[in-house]
Amino acid sequence: MDVSKGRVALLREIFSQGFRTPDWRHEEPPPVVPAEMFFADNDDNECIAVNLDDHPGVDFFRSKLADIAAQPDVAAVLVNIYDLDPTIYGGWPYAENVHILTSASEDTVQSWATELRSDGAGEGWPYGEPRQHAQATDGQRWWWLSWD
């Protein structure tokens, strides 16, 4: 079995944040990783937004999130790691949310959510603030997107 360097780096980062499967038993917020790390070498369409009926594929999310991250008013784009069970069978960790640190308006963030086929954006951290993440500065807020 070929193991990608990107997958190994991702798993090391996840475990360095103290992830235990399933972490919700320990009442710890899931770890978050930079989107570019989550998508490096990733070809697993089951890793994000699996609830979409007509799933656009992992490349769609990689591209759209990279475009958002490149916006001048975006400071960080993170992916939460909700479950590691897929890794047992060679898959990618499962992400349930994407988090965006930005000074953009709520309307702009909601437009990104629509573009990503999300159910919408919410402010803050749905499972609690993770151990490691960038801190918001004046005018910035953390937003999360999910696909339920």
Side-chain angles (χ1 to χ4, degrees), residues 1-144:
M1 171 195 256
D2 243 358
V3 178
S4 79
K5 290 181 182 180
R7 187 171 183 269
V8 169
L10 175 64
L11 291 172
R12 283 188 178 142
E13 177 60 27
I14 292 166
F15 288 118
S16 78
Q17 294 184 40
F19 187 79
R20 296 172 301 256
T21 302
D23 211 49
W24 56 87
R25 288 187 186 162
H26 306 285
E27 299 179 4
E28 295 266 342
V32 292
V33 297
E36 62 272 9
M37 175 181 273
F38 182 77
F39 290 108
D41 301 333
N42 185 344
D43 61 358
D44 184 354
N45 290 334
E46 298 289 314
C47 71
I48 190 167
V50 295
N51 295 336
L52 290 177
D53 289 333
D54 185 20
H55 197 280
V58 71
D59 288 336
F60 168 85
F61 292 100
R62 177 187 354 261
S63 174
K64 295 290 185 188
L65 289 169
D67 290 347
I68 291 169
Q71 298 296 313
D73 51 4
V74 173
V77 176
L78 305 176
V79 176
N80 90 334
I81 305 301
Y82 191 73
D83 195 356
L84 290 180
D85 285 350
T87 64
I88 295 168
Y89 307 103
W92 220 254
Y94 175 69
E96 187 165 278
N97 303 109
V98 169
H99 305 274
I100 303 170
L101 177 58
T102 185
S103 58
S105 69
E106 181 173 357
D107 287 344
T108 297
V109 175
Q110 293 296 348
S111 75
W112 294 335
T114 300
E115 191 176 323
L116 286 161
R117 301 176 57 190
S118 165
D119 295 324
E123 191 175 346
W125 301 97
Y127 299 113
E129 196 169 325
R131 291 181 184 184
Q132 297 178 8
H133 63 84
Q135 298 299 310
T137 60
D138 288 341
Q140 295 178 332
R141 296 183 286 177
W142 277 106
W143 294 88
W144 59 277

